[in-house]
Amino acid sequence: MSDQNALTPRVLIVRHGETEWSKSGRSTSFTEVDLTAAGAAQVSSAAAVLVGSGKLIDPCHVAHVFVSPRKRAETTLDLLLPPSSDISKEKITFTEDITEWNYGDYEGKTNEEIRRLREDKGWDKEQEWTVWSDGLEEVTDRLDKLIVHIKSIQEPLMDGTEPADIVLVSHIFHGLK
């Protein structure tokens, strides 16, 4: 195969479509929240532009797909890469490794509500709370594990002779907004 036609391994990250909670800025980890009609339309519109032969996500170049097991990510996968996309079920793994982090008592609350709650308890006097204040180590550990797994899939394919794209369908952590 010539270098011109070599397949460069990529990792493509797709965030789930809009939910009522993401629309209102509510922290969502384990609560199952459906996509809104607008969220489903977002994914369908993106799929029409991004997925297909010769497009950014070309199903024949996909080596594996990792999906958060949350309903909003599963629905996004179904809209993005329907069975007609020719990506076999064997190439799809549902994994907790790319779920949103656990917001615990902050589940369903906005960042402003969390800050008020923490202020009422007398916390964060030295520095204002951010989503990065809690739980980052647990998320980092999960993502490090996934990176090792992705590397094990892509490493033998680095010569560019076989498909090596990895697609992640996840949450891209609410706090990144």
Side-chain angles (χ1 to χ4, degrees), residues 9-11 149-158 164-166:
R10 302 175 299 167
V11 176
H149 192 167
I150 290 169
K151 184 178 177 185
S152 75
I153 292 169
Q154 288 186 327
E155 197 165 41
L157 307 172
M158 294 303 282
D165 285 352
I166 303 292

Side-chain angles (χ1 to χ4, degrees), residues 11-15 64-68 80 95 98 143 146 150 166-170 172:
V11 176
L12 305 158
I13 303 171
V14 178
R15 186 185 195 278
H64 207 85
V65 180
F66 291 97
V67 186
S68 165
L80 186 73
T95 177
I98 56 174
L143 292 178
L146 181 65
I150 290 169
I166 303 292
V167 178
L168 306 178
V169 181
S170 190
I172 318 300

